Amino acid sequence: MVRVLPSKTNQRLAKDSAMKWLFRMAAFLLLAIIVFLFYGIAADGFGRLNLSFFTNFGSRFPEKAGIKAALVGTLALMAVVIPVSMFLGLCSAIYLEEYAPKNRWTAFIEMNISNLAGVPSVVFGLLGLTVFVRAFSLGNSILAAGLTMSLLILPIIIVASQEAIRAVPDTLREASYGMGATKWQTIVHVVLPSAIGSILTGSILSFSRAIGETAPLIVLGIPVIVHFLPTGPLSTFTALPMQIYDWAKRPQPEFADAASAGIIVLLIILVTMNAFAIYFRNRSEKKLQNR
């Protein structure tokens, strides 16, 4: 029988306790930084959150500046990004996991998709400027920006959807095949219902990234002040990140307060989207448990 000396046992317990306190301090430090940032933004921005802030267009006068055009433009932008990126991302993930042969070419494609998920957003802005703005002559429109943002988050959606589809047990597929279902019927009625919670969670989190990106919009030449609402996918528009960026770089302190108010609105939208992601994930898990 191997005997453990008390001194070594005490050393291991001391190291375990030290690492626990180190990780706990790191978590508290991160939480303190987040609380400090939120407090600074809330202290400056809550005073500007009134009805006129949501109903006024952008202005060079800080007391008249509002986010009406930016908020509507952001919603219109996401109306393009969500269906385009979801359709392309989910279809690509289904093909790579269920239909594509497992060879070097498929592994090469998957490796490049994973690498694209870490490419800086400004690179996608340059791609959108070259392809959609200049080659397709879409200009600085909602459609051009929406397609560019879709390319930005497409790798993330593909990877998240692949992982969700891969996590579905093979026994469910085999049971479906054993009852005479085709491959497509198995995907639609077995695989996707089992993976939809994780797919939606990853997709909504990627939408949160798209709604807060500024660099691609700057590269595309999206204006910061627009005094009209968009009327279609080819309309010129502005977005909340662009409006916040413009206010933050102005020297007047009143514009800094307006920027903080815009950040609060953007954070509310992001938190709402993340709450929907959690809701869909929990609902999907409950349905799977009840099946």
Side-chain angles (χ1 to χ4, degrees), residues 125-209:
L126 293 172
L127 176 63
L129 177 65
T130 303
V131 177
F132 302 123
V133 175
R134 295 178 179 174
F136 291 168
S137 301
L138 296 178
N140 52 1
S141 62
I142 295 175
L143 184 59
L147 294 176
T148 302
M149 290 299 188
S150 299
L151 292 179
L152 171 65
I153 64 175
L154 190 59
I156 306 174
I157 295 179
I158 294 175
V159 172
S161 301
Q162 280 187 270
E163 293 295 332
I165 294 173
R166 195 176 300 153
V168 177
D170 290 334
T171 53
L172 296 179
R173 296 180 175 87
E174 293 170 358
S176 178
Y177 294 146
M179 296 187 67
T182 63
K183 191 176 188 64
W184 176 244
Q185 289 174 330
T186 301
I187 292 172
V188 173
H189 298 289
V190 177
V191 176
L192 288 182
S194 301
I196 193 64
S198 299
I199 291 175
L200 289 176
T201 300
S203 300
I204 293 176
L205 292 178
S206 65
F207 299 152
S208 300
R209 180 189 177 186

Side-chain angles (χ1 to χ4, degrees), residues 15 41 86 139 217 222 250:
K15 289 181 180 179
I41 293 173
M86 276 295 293
L217 300 179
I222 303 301
R250 291 177 179 265

